Amino acid sequence: MLSVTVDQLDPTPIYEQLAGIIREKIKAGDLAERQLVPSESSLQQKHGIARGSVRRAMELLREEGWVVTIQGRGTFVAPRENWPGKP
Amino acid sequence: MLSVTVDQLDPTPIYEQLAGIIREKIKAGDLAERQLVPSESSLQQKHGIARGSVRRAMELLREEGWVVTIQGRGTFVAPRENWPGKP
DNA sequence: GAGAATTTGTACGTATGTATG
DNA sequence: ACATACATACGTACAAATTCT
């Protein structure tokens, strides 16, 4: 089963959990290419975590090439050729 | 004495200080029912604080029922029956 | 009605302080 | 000492709604 929210009791860092959740949504096509990813504040509220943790998760996904962030607009699913494991 | 501006050295959060100042103005009748509250940018300049702090103060006052905000128009003092402690 | 200006709404970027394990 | 997490507060940019010229 795919987790839909973070688990505060899980020793895995919150931001890694959240990154994992969003990464899986992208892989599954639930979040499509170039689609707007939910905002930091909405993710913050939905999961009951701090914005800094959301930002760390997004930072991870950016580094991995899953998403692209544009100031003042939002975070978007990156074009498929930027995704990892796509040689 | 009633403070007229926020105090950066006061450990009370800036947005709480500003909310308190405006709340007292409403209670004192300095800002009357349905009157337009100064805009976010003017409050920002007057107190030398960030707009985000002004918005948080307004959010507090909205939640308490002191003011009503309309996009594109401004923030107004709420009708008296919305004020707290008016059963 | 068109266009500029004003005002609030949303979103990201960054820094600092505090608390906890 | 260090990593994690939350709170506050600064800044920037752009969107949306309204008002004014």
Side-chain angles (χ1 to χ4, degrees), chain B residues 38-60:
Chain B
S39 73
E40 293 177 358
S41 63
S42 69
L43 289 171
Q44 174 184 350
Q45 289 177 22
K46 171 171 182 180
H47 296 276
I49 60 180
R51 194 182 154 218
S53 302
V54 178
R55 289 188 54 74
R56 293 207 58 178
M58 292 306 177
E59 188 183 349
L60 253 185

Side-chain angles (χ1 to χ4, degrees), chain B residues 32-83:
Chain B
E33 229 174 332
R34 295 175 200 283
Q35 185 178 342
L36 185 61
V37 174
S39 73
E40 293 177 358
S41 63
S42 69
L43 289 171
Q44 174 184 350
Q45 289 177 22
K46 171 171 182 180
H47 296 276
I49 60 180
R51 194 182 154 218
S53 302
V54 178
R55 289 188 54 74
R56 293 207 58 178
M58 292 306 177
E59 188 183 349
L60 253 185
L61 296 173
R62 268 197 305 274
E63 290 169 0
E64 294 171 354
W66 293 107
V67 301
V68 175
T69 298
I70 304 175
Q71 182 176 2
R73 303 228 312 208
T75 296
F76 301 83
V77 177
R80 211 181 212 81
E81 62 259 30
N82 296 25
W83 298 4

Side-chain angles (χ1 to χ4, degrees), chain A residues 13-15 49-50 53 71-72:
Chain A
I14 296 283
Y15 68 90
I49 61 180
S53 303
Q71 183 174 357

Side-chain angles (χ1 to χ4, degrees), chain A residues 2-78:
Chain A
L2 210 151
S3 54
V4 290
T5 187
V6 300
D7 180 4
Q8 300 279 359
L9 300 181
D10 188 335
T12 307
I14 296 283
Y15 68 90
E16 282 188 19
Q17 292 185 48
L18 179 57
I21 290 171
I22 296 178
R23 195 187 298 113
E24 292 310 313
K25 279 181 189 287
I26 295 175
K27 286 185 188 174
D30 199 352
L31 284 169
E33 228 173 339
R34 292 182 150 78
Q35 184 178 343
L36 185 61
V37 175
S39 75
E40 292 185 353
S41 64
S42 69
L43 288 171
Q44 174 184 349
Q45 288 179 21
K46 171 172 183 179
H47 296 276
I49 61 180
R51 196 178 152 228
S53 303
V54 178
R55 289 187 52 68
R56 275 189 184 81
M58 292 304 176
E59 189 181 346
L60 253 185
L61 295 174
R62 267 198 305 275
E63 289 169 359
E64 294 172 353
W66 293 108
V67 299
V68 174
T69 298
I70 303 176
Q71 183 174 357
R73 297 221 254 142
T75 295
F76 301 83
V77 177

